[in-house]
């Protein structure tokens, strides 16, 4: 999937969430909606942890309950949720993310490292 396809999907998911929120009576608006979308990241990260624990069988009471495919799926949910939250905060999320990724890449892999 091309980068543009990812951002088109993020825009559509963002719009769908906004439309759903208004259909349900607009219980959360503006800042509260943004904060809830950011908090959703914690829930998704918790699901990654649960999947890793389940894939490694670290809960002796439950045994192996997940696969590494489940972990990969949950990691994807974290990324999608993060991008939708970023899109909620910044209409120009694509540009914000691209610039930030370039900065992190330069800091991490730039020629200044020895």
């Amino acid at each position: 999937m091309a980068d543009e396809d990812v951002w088109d999907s993020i825009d559509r998911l963002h719009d769908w969430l906004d439309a759903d929120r208004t259909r349900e009576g607009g219980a959360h608006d503006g800042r509260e909606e943004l904060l809830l979308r950011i908090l959703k990241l914690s829930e998704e990260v918790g699901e990654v942890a649960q999947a890793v624990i389940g894939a490694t069988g670290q809960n002796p009471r439950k045994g192996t309950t997940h696969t590494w495919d489940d972990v990969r799926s949950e990691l994807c949910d974290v990324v999608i949720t993060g991008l939708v939250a970023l899109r909620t905060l910044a209409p120009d999320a694509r540009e914000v993310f691209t610039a930030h990724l370039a900065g992190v890449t330069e800091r991490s892999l730039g020629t200044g490292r020895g």
Side-chain angles (χ1 to χ4, degrees):
M1 180 180 280
D3 181 54
E4 187 169 61
D5 293 333
V6 169
W7 286 105
D8 288 343
S9 294
I10 294 302
D11 285 340
R12 288 196 336 265
L13 288 167
H14 171 267
D15 294 346
W16 171 73
L17 286 169
D18 277 357
D20 187 62
R21 175 181 48 82
T22 50
R23 257 194 312 279
E24 296 298 321
H28 305 290
D29 288 334
R31 184 175 183 165
E32 187 176 43
E33 183 67 24
L34 170 63
L35 294 175
L36 289 170
R37 287 190 188 168
I38 292 171
L39 280 174
K40 180 75 173 154
L41 277 166
S42 294
E43 178 186 12
E44 295 297 343
V45 169
E47 291 175 11
V48 171
Q50 182 180 19
V52 169
I53 289 167
T56 57
Q58 292 303 303
N59 184 335
R61 185 173 52 82
K62 294 181 179 179
T64 302
T65 59
H66 291 74
T67 67
W68 288 105
D69 284 341
D70 295 326
V71 174
R72 284 188 284 273
S73 177
E74 296 299 344
L75 284 168
C76 288
D77 287 349
V78 169
V79 172
I80 293 164
T81 301
L83 292 177
V84 170
L86 179 61
R87 172 60 184 84
T88 302
L89 180 62
D92 60 340
R94 179 188 317 229
E95 292 78 16
V96 169
F97 182 79
T98 300
H100 187 78
L101 180 59
V104 169
T105 302
E106 179 59 32
R107 279 194 314 275
S108 300
L109 304 175
T111 57
R113 288 189 74 204

